[in-house]
Coordinates of all heavy atoms in Angstrom, one line a residue:
M9 N -13.6 -10.1 5.2 CA -13.7 -11.4 4.6 C -13.3 -11.4 3.1 O -14.2 -10.9 2.3 CB -15.0 -12.1 4.7 CG -15.5 -12.3 6.1 SD -14.6 -13.7 6.8 CE -15.9 -15.0 6.7
G10 N -12.1 -11.7 2.7 CA -11.8 -11.7 1.3 C -11.6 -10.3 0.7 O -11.9 -9.3 1.4
A11 N -11.1 -10.3 -0.5 CA -10.9 -9.0 -1.2 C -12.2 -8.6 -2.0 O -12.5 -9.3 -2.9 CB -9.7 -9.0 -2.1
G12 N -12.9 -7.6 -1.5 CA -14.1 -7.2 -2.2 C -13.8 -6.1 -3.2 O -12.6 -5.7 -3.4
P13 N -14.8 -5.5 -3.8 CA -14.6 -4.4 -4.7 C -13.9 -3.2 -4.1 O -13.4 -2.4 -4.9 CB -16.0 -4.1 -5.2 CG -16.9 -5.1 -4.6 CD -16.2 -5.9 -3.6
A14 N -13.9 -3.0 -2.8 CA -13.3 -1.9 -2.2 C -11.9 -1.8 -2.6 O -11.3 -0.7 -2.7 CB -13.5 -2.0 -0.7
A15 N -11.2 -3.0 -2.8 CA -9.8 -3.0 -3.2 C -9.6 -2.3 -4.5 O -8.5 -1.9 -4.8 CB -9.3 -4.4 -3.2
M16 N -10.7 -2.2 -5.3 CA -10.5 -1.6 -6.6 C -10.8 -0.1 -6.6 O -10.8 0.6 -7.6 CB -11.5 -2.2 -7.6 CG -11.4 -3.7 -7.7 SD -10.0 -4.2 -8.6 CE -10.6 -3.9 -10.3
A17 N -11.2 0.5 -5.4 CA -11.7 1.9 -5.4 C -10.6 2.9 -5.7 O -11.0 4.0 -6.1 CB -12.3 2.2 -4.0
G18 N -9.4 2.5 -5.7 CA -8.3 3.4 -6.1 C -7.9 4.4 -5.1 O -7.0 5.2 -5.3
E19 N -8.4 4.4 -3.9 CA -8.0 5.4 -2.9 C -7.1 4.8 -1.9 O -6.5 5.5 -1.0 CB -9.2 6.0 -2.2 CG -10.0 7.0 -3.0 CD -9.1 8.1 -3.6 OE1 -8.2 8.6 -2.9 OE2 -9.2 8.4 -4.8
A20 N -6.8 3.5 -2.0 CA -5.8 2.8 -1.1 C -4.5 3.4 -1.5 O -4.3 3.8 -2.7 CB -5.9 1.3 -1.2
P21 N -3.5 3.3 -0.6 CA -2.1 3.8 -1.0 C -1.6 3.0 -2.2 O -2.0 1.8 -2.3 CB -1.3 3.5 0.2 CG -2.2 3.3 1.3 CD -3.6 2.9 0.8
I22 N -0.8 3.6 -3.0 CA -0.3 2.9 -4.2 C 0.8 1.9 -3.7 O 1.7 2.3 -3.0 CB 0.4 3.8 -5.2 CG1 -0.7 4.9 -5.6 CG2 0.9 3.1 -6.4 CD1 -0.1 6.1 -6.3
D23 N 0.6 0.6 -4.0 CA 1.5 -0.4 -3.4 C 2.8 -0.4 -4.2 O 2.9 0.1 -5.3 CB 0.9 -1.8 -3.3 CG 0.6 -2.5 -4.6 OD1 1.3 -2.2 -5.6 OD2 -0.3 -3.3 -4.6
D24 N 3.9 -1.0 -3.7 CA 5.2 -1.0 -4.3 C 5.3 -1.6 -5.7 O 6.0 -1.1 -6.5 CB 6.2 -1.7 -3.4 CG 6.5 -0.9 -2.1 OD1 6.1 0.2 -2.0 OD2 7.1 -1.5 -1.2
E25 N 4.5 -2.6 -5.9 CA 4.5 -3.3 -7.2 C 3.9 -2.3 -8.2 O 4.5 -2.2 -9.3 CB 3.6 -4.5 -7.1 CG 3.8 -5.5 -8.2 CD 2.9 -6.7 -8.1 OE1 2.6 -7.1 -6.9 OE2 2.5 -7.3 -9.1
R26 N 2.8 -1.6 -7.9 CA 2.3 -0.7 -8.8 C 3.2 0.5 -9.0 O 3.3 1.0 -10.1 CB 0.9 -0.2 -8.2 CG 0.1 0.8 -9.1 CD -0.4 0.1 -10.4 NE -1.1 1.1 -11.2 CZ -1.4 1.0 -12.5 NH1 -1.0 0.0 -13.2 NH2 -2.1 2.0 -13.1
K27 N 3.9 0.9 -8.0 CA 4.8 2.0 -8.1 C 5.9 1.7 -9.1 O 6.3 2.5 -9.9 CB 5.5 2.4 -6.8 CG 4.5 3.2 -5.9 CD 5.2 3.6 -4.6 CE 4.2 4.4 -3.8 NZ 4.7 4.7 -2.4
A28 N 6.4 0.4 -9.0 CA 7.5 0.0 -9.9 C 7.0 0.0 -11.4 O 7.6 0.4 -12.3 CB 8.0 -1.4 -9.5
H29 N 5.7 -0.4 -11.5 CA 5.1 -0.5 -12.8 C 4.9 1.0 -13.4 O 5.2 1.2 -14.5 CB 3.7 -1.1 -12.7 CG 2.9 -1.1 -14.0 ND1 3.2 -2.0 -15.0 CD2 1.9 -0.3 -14.5 CE1 2.4 -1.7 -16.0 NE2 1.6 -0.7 -15.7
L30 N 4.5 1.9 -12.5 CA 4.3 3.3 -12.9 C 5.7 3.9 -13.4 O 5.8 4.7 -14.3 CB 3.7 4.1 -11.8 CG 2.2 3.7 -11.5 CD1 1.7 4.6 -10.3 CD2 1.3 3.9 -12.7
R31 N 6.7 3.6 -12.6 CA 8.1 4.2 -12.9 C 8.5 3.6 -14.3 O 9.1 4.4 -15.1 CB 9.1 3.7 -11.9 CG 9.1 4.5 -10.6 CD 10.2 4.0 -9.7 NE 10.1 4.7 -8.4 CZ 10.7 5.9 -8.2 NH1 11.4 6.5 -9.2 NH2 10.6 6.5 -7.1
H32 N 8.2 2.4 -14.6 CA 8.5 1.8 -15.9 C 7.7 2.5 -17.0 O 8.3 2.8 -18.0 CB 8.2 0.3 -15.8 CG 8.6 -0.5 -17.0 ND1 9.9 -0.8 -17.3 CD2 7.8 -0.9 -18.1 CE1 9.9 -1.5 -18.5 NE2 8.7 -1.5 -19.0
L33 N 6.5 2.7 -16.7 CA 5.6 3.4 -17.7 C 6.1 4.8 -18.0 O 6.1 5.2 -19.2 CB 4.2 3.5 -17.1 CG 3.2 4.2 -18.0 CD1 2.0 3.3 -18.4 CD2 2.6 5.5 -17.3
V34 N 6.6 5.5 -17.0 CA 7.1 6.8 -17.2 C 8.3 6.8 -18.1 O 8.4 7.5 -19.1 CB 7.4 7.6 -15.9 CG1 8.2 8.9 -16.2 CG2 6.1 7.8 -15.1
K35 N 9.2 5.9 -17.8 CA 10.4 5.8 -18.7 C 10.1 5.3 -20.1 O 10.6 5.9 -21.1 CB 11.4 4.8 -18.1 CG 12.0 5.4 -16.8 CD 13.4 4.8 -16.6 CE 14.1 5.4 -15.3 NZ 13.9 4.7 -14.1
Q36 N 9.3 4.3 -20.2 CA 9.0 3.7 -21.5 C 8.0 4.6 -22.3 O 8.3 5.0 -23.5 CB 8.4 2.3 -21.4 CG 9.3 1.3 -20.8 CD 10.6 1.1 -21.6 OE1 10.5 0.9 -22.8 NE2 11.7 1.3 -20.9
D37 N 6.9 4.9 -21.8 CA 5.8 5.5 -22.5 C 6.0 7.0 -22.6 O 5.9 7.7 -23.6 CB 4.4 5.1 -22.0 CG 4.2 3.6 -22.2 OD1 4.9 3.0 -22.9 OD2 3.2 3.1 -21.7
C38 N 6.1 7.6 -21.4 CA 6.3 9.1 -21.4 C 7.6 9.4 -22.1 O 7.8 10.4 -22.8 CB 6.3 9.7 -20.0 SG 4.9 9.0 -19.0
G39 N 8.7 8.6 -21.8 CA 10.0 8.8 -22.3 C 10.1 8.7 -23.8 O 10.9 9.3 -24.4
S40 N 9.1 8.0 -24.4 CA 9.2 7.9 -25.9 C 8.9 9.2 -26.5 O 9.4 9.5 -27.6 CB 8.1 6.8 -26.4 OG 6.8 7.3 -26.2
C41 N 8.3 10.1 -25.9 CA 8.1 11.5 -26.4 C 8.9 12.5 -25.7 O 9.4 13.5 -26.2 CB 6.6 11.9 -26.3 SG 5.6 11.1 -27.6
H42 N 9.0 12.4 -24.3 CA 9.6 13.4 -23.5 C 11.1 13.1 -23.3 O 11.8 13.9 -22.7 CB 8.9 13.6 -22.2 CG 7.6 14.2 -22.3 ND1 7.3 15.5 -22.4 CD2 6.3 13.5 -22.4 CE1 6.0 15.7 -22.5 NE2 5.4 14.5 -22.5
G43 N 11.6 12.0 -23.8 CA 13.0 11.6 -23.7 C 13.2 10.8 -22.4 O 12.5 11.0 -21.4
L44 N 14.1 9.8 -22.5 CA 14.3 8.9 -21.4 C 14.6 9.6 -20.1 O 14.3 9.1 -19.0 CB 15.5 8.0 -21.8 CG 15.5 6.6 -21.1 CD1 14.2 5.8 -21.4 CD2 16.7 5.8 -21.6
T45 N 15.3 10.8 -20.2 CA 15.6 11.5 -19.0 C 14.7 12.8 -18.9 O 15.0 13.7 -18.1 CB 17.0 11.9 -18.9 OG1 17.4 12.6 -20.1 CG2 17.9 10.7 -18.8
M46 N 13.6 12.7 -19.6 CA 12.5 13.8 -19.6 C 13.0 15.2 -20.0 O 12.4 16.2 -19.8 CB 11.9 13.9 -18.2 CG 11.4 12.6 -17.6 SD 10.2 11.8 -18.7 CE 10.6 10.1 -18.5
R47 N 14.2 15.2 -20.8 CA 14.7 16.5 -21.2 C 14.1 16.9 -22.5 O 14.6 17.9 -23.1 CB 16.2 16.4 -21.4 CG 16.9 16.3 -20.0 CD 18.4 16.1 -20.1 NE 18.9 15.5 -18.9 CZ 19.2 16.3 -17.8 NH1 19.0 17.6 -17.8 NH2 19.6 15.7 -16.7
G48 N 13.1 16.2 -23.0 CA 12.4 16.7 -24.2 C 12.8 15.9 -25.5 O 13.8 15.2 -25.5
G49 N 11.8 15.9 -26.4 CA 12.0 15.1 -27.6 C 10.9 15.7 -28.5 O 10.8 16.9 -28.7
L50 N 9.9 14.8 -28.8 CA 8.7 15.3 -29.5 C 7.9 16.2 -28.5 O 7.4 17.2 -28.9 CB 7.8 14.1 -29.9 CG 6.4 14.4 -30.4 CD1 6.5 15.2 -31.7 CD2 5.7 13.1 -30.7
G51 N 7.9 15.7 -27.2 CA 7.3 16.5 -26.2 C 8.3 17.4 -25.5 O 9.5 17.2 -25.7
P52 N 7.8 18.5 -24.8 CA 8.8 19.4 -24.1 C 9.5 18.7 -22.9 O 9.0 17.7 -22.5 CB 7.8 20.5 -23.7 CG 6.5 19.8 -23.5 CD 6.5 18.8 -24.5
P53 N 10.5 19.3 -22.4 CA 11.2 18.8 -21.2 C 10.2 18.8 -20.1 O 9.4 19.8 -19.9 CB 12.4 19.8 -21.0 CG 12.3 20.8 -22.0 CD 11.2 20.5 -23.0
I54 N 10.2 17.8 -19.3 CA 9.4 17.8 -18.0 C 10.3 17.5 -16.9 O 10.0 16.6 -16.0 CB 8.1 16.9 -18.2 CG1 8.5 15.5 -18.7 CG2 7.1 17.5 -19.0 CD1 7.3 14.5 -18.8
T55 N 11.4 18.2 -16.8 CA 12.4 18.0 -15.7 C 11.9 19.0 -14.6 O 11.1 19.8 -14.8 CB 13.8 18.5 -16.2 OG1 13.6 19.8 -16.8 CG2 14.3 17.6 -17.3
P56 N 12.5 18.8 -13.4 CA 12.2 19.7 -12.3 C 12.4 21.2 -12.7 O 11.5 22.0 -12.4 CB 13.1 19.3 -11.2 CG 13.4 17.8 -11.5 CD 13.4 17.7 -13.0
E57 N 13.4 21.5 -13.4 CA 13.7 22.8 -13.8 C 12.6 23.4 -14.7 O 12.1 24.5 -14.6 CB 15.0 22.9 -14.6 CG 16.3 22.5 -13.8 CD 16.4 21.0 -13.6 OE1 15.9 20.2 -14.4 OE2 16.9 20.6 -12.5
A58 N 12.2 22.6 -15.7 CA 11.1 23.0 -16.6 C 9.8 23.2 -15.9 O 9.0 24.1 -16.2 CB 11.0 22.0 -17.8
L59 N 9.5 22.3 -15.0 CA 8.2 22.3 -14.3 C 8.1 23.3 -13.2 O 7.1 23.7 -12.8 CB 7.9 20.9 -13.7 CG 7.7 19.8 -14.7 CD1 7.6 18.4 -14.1 CD2 6.5 20.1 -15.6
A60 N 9.3 23.9 -12.8 CA 9.3 24.9 -11.7 C 8.4 26.0 -12.1 O 7.8 26.7 -11.2 CB 10.7 25.3 -11.5
Q61 N 8.2 26.3 -13.4 CA 7.4 27.4 -13.9 C 6.0 27.0 -14.1 O 5.2 27.8 -14.7 CB 8.0 28.0 -15.1 CG 9.5 28.5 -14.9 CD 10.2 28.5 -16.2 OE1 9.7 29.0 -17.2 NE2 11.5 28.1 -16.2
R62 N 5.7 25.8 -13.8 CA 4.3 25.3 -14.2 C 3.5 25.0 -12.9 O 4.0 24.7 -11.8 CB 4.4 24.0 -14.9 CG 5.2 24.1 -16.3 CD 4.2 24.6 -17.3 NE 4.8 24.5 -18.6 CZ 5.3 25.6 -19.3 NH1 5.2 26.8 -18.7 NH2 5.8 25.4 -20.5
D63 N 2.2 25.1 -13.1 CA 1.2 24.9 -12.0 C 1.0 23.3 -11.9 O 0.7 22.7 -12.8 CB -0.1 25.6 -12.3 CG -1.1 25.2 -11.3 OD1 -1.0 25.5 -10.1 OD2 -2.1 24.6 -11.7
R64 N 1.3 22.8 -10.7 CA 1.2 21.4 -10.4 C -0.1 20.8 -10.8 O -0.2 19.7 -11.4 CB 1.6 21.0 -9.0 CG 2.1 19.6 -8.8 CD 2.5 19.4 -7.4 NE 3.8 19.9 -7.0 CZ 4.8 19.2 -6.5 NH1 4.7 17.9 -6.2 NH2 5.9 19.8 -6.1
E65 N -1.2 21.4 -10.4 CA -2.6 20.9 -10.7 C -2.8 20.8 -12.2 O -3.4 19.9 -12.7 CB -3.6 21.7 -10.1 CG -3.7 21.6 -8.5 CD -3.8 20.2 -8.1 OE1 -4.7 19.5 -8.5 OE2 -3.0 19.8 -7.3
T66 N -2.3 21.8 -12.9 CA -2.4 21.8 -14.4 C -1.7 20.6 -15.0 O -2.1 20.0 -15.9 CB -1.9 23.1 -15.0 OG1 -2.6 24.2 -14.3 CG2 -2.2 23.2 -16.5
M67 N -0.5 20.3 -14.4 CA 0.3 19.2 -14.9 C -0.5 17.9 -14.7 O -0.5 17.0 -15.5 CB 1.7 19.2 -14.3 CG 2.5 20.4 -14.6 SD 2.8 20.7 -16.3 CE 1.7 22.0 -16.7
V68 N -1.1 17.7 -13.5 CA -1.8 16.5 -13.2 C -3.0 16.4 -14.2 O -3.2 15.3 -14.8 CB -2.4 16.5 -11.7 CG1 -3.3 15.3 -11.5 CG2 -1.2 16.5 -10.7
Y69 N -3.7 17.5 -14.4 CA -4.8 17.5 -15.4 C -4.3 17.1 -16.8 O -4.9 16.4 -17.5 CB -5.4 18.9 -15.4 CG -6.7 19.0 -16.2 CD1 -7.9 18.8 -15.5 CD2 -6.7 19.3 -17.5 CE1 -9.1 18.8 -16.2 CE2 -7.8 19.4 -18.2 CZ -9.1 19.1 -17.6 OH -10.2 19.2 -18.3
T70 N -3.1 17.7 -17.2 CA -2.6 17.4 -18.5 C -2.3 15.9 -18.6 O -2.6 15.3 -19.7 CB -1.3 18.2 -18.7 OG1 -1.6 19.6 -18.6 CG2 -0.6 17.9 -20.0
V71 N -1.7 15.3 -17.6 CA -1.4 13.8 -17.7 C -2.7 13.0 -17.8 O -2.8 12.1 -18.6 CB -0.6 13.4 -16.4 CG1 -0.4 11.9 -16.4 CG2 0.8 14.0 -16.4
L72 N -3.7 13.4 -17.0 CA -5.0 12.6 -17.1 C -5.7 12.8 -18.4 O -6.2 11.9 -19.0 CB -5.9 13.0 -15.9 CG -5.5 12.4 -14.6 CD1 -6.3 13.0 -13.5 CD2 -5.6 10.9 -14.6
Y73 N -5.8 14.1 -18.9 CA -6.7 14.4 -20.0 C -6.0 14.7 -21.3 O -6.6 14.9 -22.3 CB -7.7 15.4 -19.6 CG -8.5 15.0 -18.4 CD1 -8.3 15.6 -17.1 CD2 -9.4 13.9 -18.4 CE1 -8.9 15.1 -16.0 CE2 -10.0 13.5 -17.3 CZ -9.8 14.1 -16.1 OH -10.4 13.6 -15.0
G74 N -4.6 14.8 -21.3 CA -3.9 15.1 -22.5 C -4.1 16.6 -22.9 O -4.7 17.4 -22.1
R75 N -3.5 16.9 -24.0 CA -3.7 18.3 -24.6 C -4.3 18.1 -26.0 O -3.6 17.9 -26.9 CB -2.4 19.0 -24.7 CG -1.7 19.4 -23.4 CD -1.9 20.9 -23.1 NE -1.5 21.2 -21.7 CZ -0.2 21.6 -21.4 NH1 0.7 21.7 -22.3 NH2 0.0 21.8 -20.2
P76 N -5.6 18.3 -26.1 CA -6.2 18.1 -27.4 C -5.6 19.0 -28.4 O -5.2 20.1 -28.1 CB -7.7 18.6 -27.1 CG -7.9 18.3 -25.7 CD -6.6 18.6 -25.0
G77 N -5.4 18.5 -29.6 CA -4.8 19.3 -30.7 C -3.2 19.2 -30.7 O -2.6 19.8 -31.5
T78 N -2.7 18.4 -29.7 CA -1.2 18.2 -29.6 C -1.1 16.7 -29.5 O -2.0 16.0 -29.2 CB -0.6 18.9 -28.4 OG1 -0.8 18.1 -27.2 CG2 -1.1 20.3 -28.1
P79 N 0.2 16.2 -29.7 CA 0.4 14.7 -29.5 C 0.2 14.2 -28.1 O 0.2 13.0 -27.9 CB 1.8 14.5 -30.0 CG 2.2 15.8 -30.8 CD 1.4 16.9 -30.2
M80 N 0.1 15.1 -27.1 CA 0.0 14.6 -25.7 C -1.3 13.9 -25.5 O -2.3 14.5 -25.5 CB 0.2 15.8 -24.7 CG 0.0 15.5 -23.3 SD 1.2 14.3 -22.7 CE 0.6 14.0 -21.0
P81 N -1.2 12.6 -25.3 CA -2.4 11.8 -25.1 C -3.0 11.8 -23.7 O -2.2 12.1 -22.7 CB -2.0 10.4 -25.5 CG -0.5 10.3 -25.1 CD 0.0 11.7 -25.1
P82 N -4.3 11.5 -23.5 CA -4.8 11.3 -22.2 C -4.4 10.0 -21.6 O -4.4 9.0 -22.3 CB -6.3 11.4 -22.4 CG -6.5 10.9 -23.8 CD -5.3 11.3 -24.6
W83 N -4.2 9.9 -20.3 CA -3.9 8.7 -19.6 C -4.9 8.2 -18.6 O -4.7 7.3 -17.9 CB -2.5 8.9 -18.9 CG -1.4 9.2 -19.9 CD1 -1.1 10.4 -20.4 CD2 -0.6 8.2 -20.6 NE1 -0.1 10.2 -21.3 CE2 0.2 8.9 -21.5 CE3 -0.5 6.8 -20.6 CZ2 1.1 8.3 -22.3 CZ3 0.4 6.2 -21.4 CH2 1.2 6.9 -22.3
S84 N -6.1 8.9 -18.6 CA -7.0 8.6 -17.5 C -7.6 7.2 -17.7 O -8.2 6.6 -16.7 CB -8.2 9.6 -17.5 OG -8.8 9.7 -18.8
S85 N -7.5 6.5 -18.8 CA -8.0 5.2 -19.0 C -7.1 4.1 -18.2 O -7.6 3.1 -17.9 CB -8.2 4.8 -20.4 OG -6.9 4.8 -21.1
I86 N -5.8 4.5 -18.0 CA -5.0 3.5 -17.3 C -4.4 4.1 -16.0 O -3.8 3.3 -15.3 CB -3.8 3.0 -18.2 CG1 -2.9 4.2 -18.7 CG2 -4.3 2.3 -19.4 CD1 -1.6 3.7 -19.2
L87 N -4.6 5.4 -15.7 CA -4.1 5.9 -14.5 C -5.2 6.5 -13.7 O -6.1 7.2 -14.2 CB -3.0 7.0 -14.7 CG -1.7 6.7 -15.5 CD1 -0.9 7.9 -15.7 CD2 -0.9 5.7 -14.7
T88 N -5.2 6.3 -12.3 CA -6.1 7.0 -11.5 C -5.6 8.4 -11.3 O -4.4 8.7 -11.5 CB -6.3 6.3 -10.1 OG1 -5.1 6.4 -9.4 CG2 -6.7 4.9 -10.3
E89 N -6.4 9.3 -10.7 CA -6.0 10.6 -10.4 C -4.8 10.6 -9.4 O -3.8 11.3 -9.5 CB -7.1 11.5 -9.9 CG -6.6 12.9 -9.6 CD -7.7 13.9 -9.1 OE1 -8.9 13.6 -9.4 OE2 -7.4 14.8 -8.5
Q90 N -5.0 9.7 -8.5 CA -3.9 9.5 -7.4 C -2.6 9.1 -8.0 O -1.5 9.6 -7.7 CB -4.4 8.4 -6.4 CG -3.5 8.2 -5.3 CD -3.8 6.9 -4.5 OE1 -4.4 6.0 -5.0 NE2 -3.5 6.9 -3.2
E91 N -2.7 8.2 -9.0 CA -1.4 7.8 -9.7 C -0.8 8.9 -10.6 O 0.4 9.0 -10.6 CB -1.7 6.5 -10.6 CG -2.0 5.3 -9.7 CD -2.6 4.1 -10.4 OE1 -3.0 4.3 -11.6 OE2 -2.6 3.0 -9.9
A92 N -1.7 9.6 -11.2 CA -1.2 10.8 -12.0 C -0.5 11.8 -11.1 O 0.6 12.3 -11.5 CB -2.3 11.4 -12.8
R93 N -1.1 12.0 -10.0 CA -0.5 12.9 -9.0 C 0.9 12.4 -8.5 O 1.8 13.2 -8.4 CB -1.5 13.1 -7.8 CG -1.3 14.3 -7.0 CD -2.5 14.4 -6.0 NE -3.8 14.8 -6.7 CZ -4.0 16.0 -7.2 NH1 -3.2 17.0 -7.0 NH2 -5.2 16.3 -7.8
W94 N 0.9 11.1 -8.3 CA 2.2 10.5 -7.8 C 3.3 10.7 -8.9 O 4.4 11.0 -8.6 CB 1.9 9.0 -7.5 CG 3.1 8.3 -6.8 CD1 3.5 8.4 -5.5 CD2 4.0 7.5 -7.5 NE1 4.7 7.6 -5.4 CE2 5.0 7.0 -6.6 CE3 4.2 7.0 -8.9 CZ2 6.1 6.2 -6.9 CZ3 5.2 6.2 -9.2 CH2 6.2 5.8 -8.2
I95 N 2.9 10.4 -10.1 CA 3.9 10.6 -11.2 C 4.3 12.0 -11.4 O 5.5 12.3 -11.5 CB 3.3 10.1 -12.6 CG1 3.1 8.6 -12.6 CG2 4.1 10.6 -13.8 CD1 2.4 8.0 -13.7
V96 N 3.4 13.0 -11.3 CA 3.8 14.4 -11.4 C 4.7 14.8 -10.2 O 5.7 15.5 -10.4 CB 2.5 15.3 -11.4 CG1 2.8 16.7 -11.2 CG2 1.8 15.1 -12.8
D97 N 4.5 14.2 -9.0 CA 5.4 14.5 -7.9 C 6.8 14.0 -8.2 O 7.8 14.7 -8.0 CB 4.9 13.8 -6.6 CG 3.7 14.6 -6.0 OD1 3.4 15.7 -6.4 OD2 3.0 14.0 -5.1
L98 N 6.9 12.8 -8.8 CA 8.2 12.2 -9.2 C 8.9 13.2 -10.2 O 10.1 13.4 -10.1 CB 8.0 10.9 -10.0 CG 7.7 9.6 -9.2 CD1 7.9 8.5 -10.2 CD2 8.6 9.4 -8.0
L99 N 8.1 13.7 -11.2 CA 8.7 14.6 -12.2 C 9.2 15.9 -11.5 O 10.3 16.3 -11.9 CB 7.7 14.9 -13.3 CG 7.2 13.7 -14.1 CD1 6.0 14.2 -15.0 CD2 8.3 13.1 -14.9
Y100 N 8.4 16.4 -10.6 CA 8.9 17.7 -9.9 C 10.1 17.4 -9.1 O 11.0 18.3 -9.0 CB 7.7 18.2 -9.0 CG 6.8 19.2 -9.8 CD1 5.7 18.7 -10.5 CD2 7.1 20.6 -9.8 CE1 4.9 19.5 -11.2 CE2 6.2 21.4 -10.5 CZ 5.2 20.9 -11.2 OH 4.4 21.8 -11.9
E101 N 10.2 16.2 -8.5 CA 11.4 15.9 -7.7 C 12.5 15.4 -8.5 O 13.7 15.2 -8.0 CB 11.0 14.8 -6.7 CG 10.1 15.4 -5.6 CD 9.2 14.3 -4.9 OE1 9.6 13.1 -5.0 OE2 8.2 14.7 -4.4
G102 N 12.3 15.0 -9.8 CA 13.3 14.5 -10.7 C 13.8 13.1 -10.2 O 14.9 12.7 -10.4
D103 N 12.8 12.4 -9.5 CA 13.1 11.1 -8.9 C 12.7 10.0 -9.8 O 11.8 9.2 -9.5 CB 12.3 11.1 -7.5 CG 12.6 9.8 -6.8 OD1 13.6 9.2 -7.0 OD2 11.7 9.5 -6.0
L104 N 13.5 9.8 -10.9 CA 13.1 8.8 -11.8 C 14.1 7.6 -11.9 O 15.2 7.7 -11.8 CB 12.9 9.4 -13.2 CG 11.7 10.3 -13.3 CD1 11.7 11.1 -14.6 CD2 10.4 9.5 -13.2
Ligands
LIG209 C1 2.9 10.8 -28.1 C2 3.8 11.7 -27.4 C3 3.6 11.9 -25.9 C4 3.5 11.0 -24.9 C5 3.5 9.4 -25.1 C6 3.5 11.7 -23.7 N1 3.5 13.0 -23.9 FE1 3.4 14.5 -22.5 N2 3.4 15.9 -24.0 C7 3.5 15.7 -25.3 C8 3.5 16.9 -26.0 C9 3.7 17.1 -27.5 C10 3.3 17.9 -25.0 C11 3.2 19.4 -25.3 C12 1.7 19.8 -25.5 C13 1.5 21.3 -25.8 O1 2.0 21.7 -26.9 O2 0.9 21.9 -24.9 C14 3.2 17.3 -23.8 C15 3.0 17.9 -22.6 C16 3.1 17.3 -21.3 C17 3.1 18.0 -20.0 C18 2.9 19.5 -19.9 C19 4.3 20.2 -20.0 C20 4.2 21.6 -19.9 O3 5.2 22.3 -19.8 O4 3.1 22.2 -19.9 C21 3.3 17.1 -19.1 C22 3.4 17.3 -17.6 C23 3.4 15.8 -19.7 N3 3.3 16.0 -21.1 C24 3.6 14.6 -19.1 C25 3.5 13.4 -19.7 C26 3.5 12.1 -19.0 C27 3.6 12.0 -17.5 C28 3.4 11.1 -19.9 C29 3.3 9.6 -19.7 C30 2.3 9.2 -18.8 C31 3.4 11.8 -21.2 N4 3.5 13.1 -21.0 C32 3.4 11.1 -22.4 C33 3.7 14.4 -25.9 C34 3.6 13.2 -25.3

């Protein structure tokens, strides 16, 4: 009966509208440091080639909590862990 708080729990699949929003965020916000095509700028390249040498869980953690002492900011206030994981998957696949 109606949409309860369960809809906010964050474990439901990410819907298409939210996915479109997240793709936009990656290009605009992540791209402002990592480059529009993620080949690097202020931040290092986060292309599939660059990430091949990186641990995926560490990358998810980096997106959520940032890298203290560097310009890489934490995103956990606007992204759920599931969303951070989805974004990292996109980066590994180069599917932007
Ligand atoms: C204000 C600039 C800035 C923004 C915005 C930013 N980053 Fe970063 N990011 C950095 C910097 C600088 C580093 C390198 C940190 C270091 O020296 O370890 C980094 C590191 C990373 C790494 C680890 C790369 C590696 O090789 O270890 C990932 C993954 C990453 N960022 C993803 C993202 C994503 C996804 C977003 C958007 C949600 C984002 N970043 C937004 C500056 C930024």
Side-chain angles (χ1 to χ4, degrees):
M9 295 286 258
M16 307 283 285
E19 285 309 320
I22 304 170
D23 69 27
D24 289 349
E25 197 180 328
R26 181 68 178 160
K27 282 182 181 172
H29 177 79
L30 293 176
R31 281 181 183 276
H32 184 77
L33 175 121
V34 170
K35 289 208 177 96
Q36 296 302 308
D37 294 352
C38 313
S40 69
C41 283
H42 291 279
L44 206 58
T45 53
M46 307 304 143
R47 289 175 201 280
L50 170 64
I54 45 175
T55 53
E57 297 74 31
L59 292 173
Q61 302 157 41
R62 298 277 188 257
D63 173 64
R64 201 179 284 235
E65 289 307 307
T66 306
M67 296 302 103
V68 173
Y69 188 91
T70 299
V71 172
L72 284 173
Y73 304 108
R75 291 258 170 92
T78 81
M80 176 61 187
W83 297 87
S84 58
S85 61
I86 60 166
L87 298 176
T88 64
E89 183 178 335
Q90 182 193 25
E91 289 169 346
R93 201 168 290 284
W94 185 79
I95 288 173
V96 166
D97 285 346
L98 284 189
L99 296 174
Y100 271 85
E101 287 154 23
D103 180 22
L104 290 168

